[in-house]
Amino acid sequence: MRETLCAMLVLVAVLFFGAAEFCSGRNTSFSCIEKEREALLKFKLCFHDPSHMLSSWKGNDCCEWKGVGCDKNNRYVVSLQLKGSVFANQRPQLYLIEDVEEVGSSLLKLRYLEHLDLSNNNFSGNLIPPSFGLMKQLRYLKLSCAQFRGRIPGELGNLTRLRVLDLSQYYYRGLKVDDDIQWISHLSSLQQLDMSGVNLSHASSNLFQVLGMLSSLSWLSLSDCSLKNSHLPSHNHLNFTLLGNIQHLDMSYNSFHGPIPIFLQNMTSLTFLDMSGVNLSLTSSNLFQVLGMLSSLSWLSLLSCSLKNCHLPSYNHPFNFTLLGNIQHLDLSANFFQGPIPIFLQNMTSLILLYLSENQLSGSIPDSIGQLSKLESIDLSFNQLSGSIPDSIEQLSKLERMDLSGNQLRSIPDSIGQLSNMSLSGNQLRSIPDSIGKLSKLESMSLFGNQLRSIPDSIRQLSKLESIDLSSNQFGIGFPKWRQLPKIIKMVGLSNASISGPLPENIGHMMPMLESLYLENNLMNGSIPKSLCNLKYLKTLDLSNNMLSGNIPKSLCNSESLGYLDLSNNMLSGSIPNCWRNDQSFIFIDLSSNNLSGLFPSKMVQLSSLSVLHLNNNSLHKGLHVALKIFASLVVLDLGENKFSGNLTSMVGGEISNHSLKVLRLRKNLVSGYIPLELCSLSQMQILDLADNNLIGRIPPCFGKFPIMVNATQLIYDIVSEYWYEAPLMEVVKGRYLEYKRKTLRLEINIDLSSNNLIGSIPEELTFLKDLHNLNLSWNHLSGKIPEKIGQMENLESLDFSKNGLSGMIPNSMSSLTKLSYLNLSYNNLSGPIPTGYQLQTLEDPTMYVGNPQLCGAPLLNKCSNDTLPPTTANFKDNDESALKRMWFYIVMLLGFATGFWGVVGTLIFVKNWRYAYFQWMDDVQHWILGIITLKVAQFKKMFNGNQDDQ
């Protein structure tokens, strides 16, 4: 009976707790909490997700969703790992489209969230929500490179359980810390803090005092934080034992200078120290003496610290070289060391990695290099080393990586150990020994930029060789013998190598594992082998700048992994295959400057990851079937110099969902219709070229709202794709075609609407584009006046309004365009004086004003009459300043008069004796004057009467 009663009680308890669990929102089938699922779905709605990072977020069990981690027992969400990528088309990236506070409110409903990673996503320059500071259960918070902007909220100091905080910024550096940094000291559990790239220039001088209060802190990175000398602690302001637990310290690329900070010698737990990019030129010769006191130090980087030979330890001065005996990683690259390789290095027998690249070291590599028996990696690249590589290099049995590129070495020894990575690019090598085939572990070999004419057959024996770069050598006809290359090869670089002839039809079978093939800038002819396009693992194919002919193989459409395809500047003909699929990985496609014809391949819009598309300078024709709302990840679209026709509105396709397009180029086609207002929603627009078409209507005023053109602060750091500026871009700037290449393209900001049929006035809103570099509206039918506030466009370098019907005077504000180096206002109806002053005085070519007969003034021969003379000060700001000066002149004059007047009159009123004396003096002066006048009158009468008597 008792056992039955117990069983019934157990059953009731199970039913009761099961019901309670059901009512509380828990699913007995082990799905996630319903309220948390709803919160995650609300979070999802805050973002545009072109790469489908959150595509798995559907169904009842959110614990099975990608990036979501739940507690195994109670199914609460404890982890969100939604790391995107700086390169949006390589890995997923989320784009914020709602209020950032919606993100915070959604996450607050995940009451047990401990791990949150939103790094490398795009929060569109918003502030970090202060509500993040209410998630007090967080132990890990990573918001690095998430394009947040502005002040870091002090509310984050409430996260007292936080162990890892990563706010680092590498490309989009918009975060800053103000003077109040006490909130950092409240993070009592913090073990790792990364604020690299955060602006700490306004942080109070007690920064390290605050950091020293974090007793658990062992990992600290303050790289590139604009720290100055005033931020560095001194003996008078810091208990150095507070920083004694820090093992990893990165203070590289800051603005302080002088001797090495003395507080470092007390950080005895340091194992990692990076001071790269800090000017330590004023450090005394005891630099390594100080560093030697850090007995645990094993990783030291002093790259680009302006160090010279005088900073190196010398046997001529007392120094205990055993103090450096624990250092395993030493980077002294990019300094000013001269002469032979420093001899003290032979005593650092613990060295595993040694980097001395980009110095001015000369002479030969010493035989003593063989004493560094633990060395695994050595980089002596870009020095002035000469001679041969010493035979003692063979003694380095653990050496895996050797980079000696950029020197003047002439030969390779017969035996150089068992390297896995060897770079000898940019030397004076004329041959490779047959013994190279003995490097059985060699995986990568770079011989770029030497004087090689052939390679030995023994290379075929390198069974592990995956990468070989033989570009920029002097190979000729009959090279390469493709069968010389190992079948396992994955990367082959043979660009600019004087290679001619066709590619073998079975090249794909010779190298079935090939991932990257670079054959650009050669003299190759023939067609593209189908077997090459069928390679399963091929990711990069560059055959540009050759003489290849024939059709583009349709087998390209079968490629599953190809991401980078460049066939530009050949003689390919026919139509572009229209067999593309949405599961392909294409990021970059350049088919420009060929003889391609036919229609735009409509199925190409299915390439959802495509970032760059160049089809310019072909003979493609008829209507455009490009929908920007489908090309969601496109960054560059260049369809210029073709024969496309049709309405521009049909191309845009209504509302645009593209949040990444930077370059839209349709120059020299037959596109017609109005400019659609939807183009204004392209928030990343940087180069807009619609020139030489048949567009009609007015210029949309909303063109004055392109964010990058208004404020280019984010331009340098917001790298949406690493490929978008790879291909050169042709733009008409300063009246001629200019080719923008990698270094300059990413910084250009242009609008070109020239050679169309646009009417109406130039929108005043265009003057809001203060970071626009080049504006060309020539050869249209624009009328009205040049906007008065055009001087606000302070970064304009080229301005062309020629061949329109503009009237009125040239605004005085145009003289404020101090960067303007090209101006063309010819063939309009402008009148009046040409403004003078500042930059306009340097533009002396009168043809830029020709065709405006009513204009006058320099540099024209037509002089202005008096009533049309230009103002003495052309700059409207200067006019304001002149008026202000005149006002102050009159004020000072009146004050002077009042002071003088009351200084005299006031004294006479209040000092009686002075008043009597003054008026007595006035009476005397009056009597004297009257006496003089009376005397003169009497003399005159006497003279007059005498003259009458004579008559």
Side-chain angles (χ1 to χ4, degrees), residues 258-259 278-284 305-308 310-311:
V278 175
N279 189 342
L280 299 177
S281 60
L282 298 180
T283 300
S284 61
C305 289
S306 300
L307 298 175
K308 300 179 181 178
C310 61
H311 298 109

Side-chain angles (χ1 to χ4, degrees), residues 415-447:
S415 181
I416 47 176
Q418 288 298 316
L419 295 170
S420 61
N421 186 308
M422 179 177 69
S423 178
L424 293 169
S425 299
N427 280 283
Q428 300 175 6
L429 302 175
R430 295 189 176 184
S431 63
I432 302 173
D434 286 335
S435 59
I436 198 79
K438 298 178 181 179
L439 296 176
S440 58
K441 297 182 179 179
L442 193 64
E443 298 175 1
S444 175
M445 178 168 61
S446 178
L447 297 169

Side-chain angles (χ1 to χ4, degrees), residues 55 59 84 225 276 288 346 394 400 441 536 673 746 752 947:
S55 59
C225 289
S276 300
F288 283 87
Q346 67 186 33
E394 185 183 6
E400 297 178 357
K441 297 182 179 179
K536 182 178 180 180
R746 58 185 289 185
D752 193 341
N947 289 338

Side-chain angles (χ1 to χ4, degrees), residues 462-466 485-490 512-514:
L462 301 176
S463 58
K464 294 187 177 181
L465 187 66
E466 297 181 352
L485 301 177
K487 208 166 185 178
I488 192 179
I489 201 80
K490 294 181 179 180
M513 308 299 291
L514 193 65

